Each structure stands twice: as C-alpha cells, then as structure tokens.
Amino acid sequence: DAKTTQPNSMESNEEEPVHLPCNHSTISGTDYIHWYRQLPSQGPEYVIHGLTSNVNNRMASLAIAEDRKSSTLILHRATLRDAAVYYCILRDGGGAQKLVFGQGTRLTINP
Amino acid sequence: EAGVVQSPRYKIIEKKQPVAFWCNPISGHNTLYWYLQNLGQGPELLIRYENEEAVDDSQLPKDRFSAERLKGVDSTLKIQPAELGDSAVYLCASSPTSGVEAFFGQGTRLTVV
C-alpha cells in the first residue's frame, strides 16, 4: 500500500483558511487521493477525493500537485466544528477497495 | 436514510470472556468493512466483505477473532477469548461495490478488564 505522510497536528483560528498538507511520493498512476476526517467520538467521514485535477465540494477543496506527489486539503473558512483528525489516503482506483489509514493530522481550531 | 448502525456503543468485559459486535450497513451496500482503532491511531482494516464473501481478511487475528456476514447484509464480529490488548474501538463501514465513499458507523468501544 502506498504511504502518505502528514503532520501530526496543526492549529488554526476560526474563520481563517486551513491548508492541510499530505505527501505521497510513491503514488502510482491508478491511485486516487482521498481525504476523510474523524470528529471526536465519531467514525471517519468522507471529505473529498481526486486523481489529477483540483476538486471542490461543499466541504473543502483539494489541490493536487502536478507531479501528484503531494496534495493539500483546503478548508476555506474553518469553524469550531472542523476540529477533527484529517486522514489523507491513497486508494487504488483499479481494484482493491480498502482504505488504509495513517495517523492523520489533528486539527485544532481556536475561537 | 439511516446510516451504518453498530451495536452496542460501549462494552465492558472481563478478559477471557467472549464478545460480539453487530453491524447493519446502509441498504444496498455490497461492501462491508470492519476496522479496529486503538487510541490515538488511525483505523486498521480487519476484514472486508463483498456481499457474503470475505475478500480480504489478512489482518484478522484468526486465532481469536471471527466474522460472518450471512445473506450479505448485516455482519457480526466476534472475539473469543478477549484479551486486555483488544480494548479499542471497533468500526464498521459500508459502501456500494464500485462506490467512492465509505460510510462509517459510530463504532463500538470495547474495554477489557
């Protein structure tokens, strides 16, 4: 399974943008980049995914480097409810459906 | 629509006792996962089902853990006998076979004393 590297923790202020980085230098051509987040005492929830192009949805934006060796999850205006552990995951689009979680980034939002 | 339902939410048992967790996936989702999450760690896959077939159980400790998904719908994960190190959160998730997104339940927090 291709590996991702994320900072253990990050801190930001409410209503400010947050950029969560992820390195995945061994990504293969068929790997999609998925982001999940886990709120306290909850199961993980899907945030966004992409292959090559930048992606936007109602929750966040995903910026993917041209060489695909890194990506950044962008929360445009963080709220206190965005405090969670964010996981960057590579998922093979060609077959296996499993999600392999790393340790993620614990995001703290200050009021 | 109801999400993935797990029960119980919390379970405390003595070591060497058996324990079982139940999961009801979202209707129509053929893929079902069981994950284990230790404190401060990301979830780790135990087993993945496609309908009633276990297609990936390489991380399931088969000496004490077992799982079943009869009729390809709900699933049960069992530990017998439980050990102190089994204390963790057990998460169930489901997705459509070709789906992008996996939907997780709230998990069962197991404490073995």
Side-chain angles (χ1 to χ4, degrees):
Chain A
D1 300 310
K3 185 177 171 60
T4 63
T5 304
Q6 299 177 253
N8 289 333
S9 62
M10 291 185 64
E11 200 169 325
S12 185
N13 298 319
E14 200 174 10
E15 299 188 3
E16 291 184 355
V18 180
H19 290 232
L20 295 162
C22 181
N23 288 317
H24 29 78
S25 58
T26 60
I27 190 170
S28 74
T30 57
D31 283 336
Y32 284 74
I33 302 157
H34 288 245
W35 283 81
Y36 278 71
R37 73 178 186 180
Q38 188 170 21
L39 303 172
S41 300
Q42 301 293 318
E45 64 174 346
Y46 168 85
V47 178
I48 200 167
H49 81 286
L51 183 62
T52 55
S53 303
N54 294 344
V55 185
N56 301 296
N57 67 20
R58 63 175 179 81
M59 290 181 71
S61 295
L62 176 60
I64 301 172
E66 198 167 334
D67 64 6
R68 301 210 326 127
K69 293 186 176 182
S70 65
S71 60
T72 302
L73 180 71
I74 303 166
L75 308 179
H76 294 285
R77 267 183 96 225
T79 70
L80 296 177
R81 288 174 294 180
D82 291 321
V85 178
Y86 286 78
Y87 297 98
C88 170
I89 300 165
L90 300 183
R91 196 178 193 195
D92 184 356
Q97 294 291 309
K98 66 181 179 182
L99 291 166
V100 180
F101 289 82
Q103 289 199 307
T105 296
R106 181 173 298 278
L107 177 64
T108 301
I109 304 296
N110 300 314
Chain B
E1 180 182 355
V4 176
V5 178
Q6 291 188 246
S7 70
R9 283 295 316 274
Y10 304 93
K11 188 75 176 178
I12 301 174
I13 61 170
E14 294 184 343
K15 63 182 180 183
K16 300 185 182 179
Q17 294 301 306
V19 64
F21 315 121
W22 177 79
C23 172
N24 189 15
I26 293 172
S27 177
H29 283 192
N30 297 324
T31 305
L32 184 146
Y33 312 80
W34 282 102
Y35 281 85
L36 175 155
Q37 186 170 26
N38 288 306
L39 189 64
Q41 304 294 315
E44 301 169 35
L45 181 69
L46 289 173
I47 190 167
R48 175 170 65 93
Y49 282 93
E50 289 294 336
N51 299 304
E52 63 273 11
E53 181 183 359
V55 295
D56 185 353
D57 64 355
S58 57
Q59 301 302 310
L60 188 72
K62 298 182 183 64
D63 57 337
R64 296 184 301 108
F65 286 65
S66 64
E68 61 182 12
R69 191 183 184 198
L70 299 175
K71 301 181 181 178
V73 182
D74 55 357
S75 176
T76 304
L77 178 68
K78 298 178 181 177
I79 308 175
Q80 182 170 7
E83 297 178 352
L84 295 176
D86 296 330
S87 295
V89 175
Y90 292 82
L91 293 160
C92 179
S94 71
S95 71
T97 298
S98 302
V100 168
E101 184 178 349
F103 296 82
F104 284 79
Q106 288 190 301
T108 296
R109 181 176 296 277
L110 173 68
T111 302
V112 183
V113 297

